[in-house]
Amino acid sequence: MSEKNGNKTNSQLIRIEAFIREEKQDEVLAALNKLGIPATFYESKGIGKGEKYQIRYGRHGDILTMPYSNRRTVETIVTEDKVEEVVSIMKDSAKIDKTGGAGGIIVISKVDEIISI
């Protein structure tokens, strides 16, 4: 792994991206904060599984169900040695019930290069 500013490190950097239910954002961010892991988060929409966004309109209170679900995306970049711990924390804090129901998905990918601007 190399950075354009001249610093090199022997440890591979890994990007972890979690697509979670919007109501779980604060729990996931708080769990990462306890570990001292910085993260970026933003609003996203998905057309996969999950409760769809609804809009009430008109005089009769008609409901329009949108084809997407509101989600939050939480991203962080960590060294290889932190991946299991971060993924475990994200999974635990994003699950929707005590039986381990899914609260989203996590994508893990290698970071080839980081360029500071």
Side-chain angles (χ1 to χ4, degrees):
M1 192 345 262
S2 66
E3 292 187 26
K4 284 293 182 186
N5 64 8
N7 294 334
K8 289 194 175 213
T9 178
N10 293 330
S11 188
Q12 174 69 47
L13 291 179
I14 306 294
R15 177 181 173 173
I16 302 172
E17 189 173 13
F19 301 93
I20 59 173
R21 294 175 77 150
E22 60 185 336
E23 65 268 18
K24 293 296 186 171
Q25 172 187 306
D26 291 340
E27 290 176 54
V28 172
L29 292 172
L32 290 173
N33 192 37
K34 282 183 185 178
L35 286 178
I37 303 290
T40 299
F41 62 95
Y42 51 90
E43 220 176 281
S44 52
K45 298 186 185 313
I47 58 171
K49 298 176 185 176
E51 187 176 316
K52 305 299 183 208
Y53 183 69
Q54 295 184 330
I55 299 174
R56 185 175 298 275
Y57 67 96
R59 287 184 157 176
H60 303 290
D62 294 330
I63 296 175
L64 174 65
T65 300
M66 304 306 286
Y68 57 83
S69 302
N70 285 333
R71 294 283 181 236
R72 295 295 186 266
T73 301
V74 178
E75 298 179 2
T76 189
I77 297 173
V78 298
T79 54
E80 281 180 302
D81 61 321
K82 294 275 187 194
V83 171
E84 286 184 38
E85 182 179 21
V86 170
V87 167
S88 177
I89 294 264
M90 285 179 155
K91 283 173 65 175
D92 289 345
S93 56
K95 65 183 165 188
I96 56 173
D97 58 34
K98 293 183 186 217
T99 61
I105 63 169
I106 297 174
V107 177
I108 302 169
S109 55
K110 291 182 180 179
V111 175
D112 293 327
E113 191 169 29
I114 294 177
I115 301 170
S116 297
I117 54 173

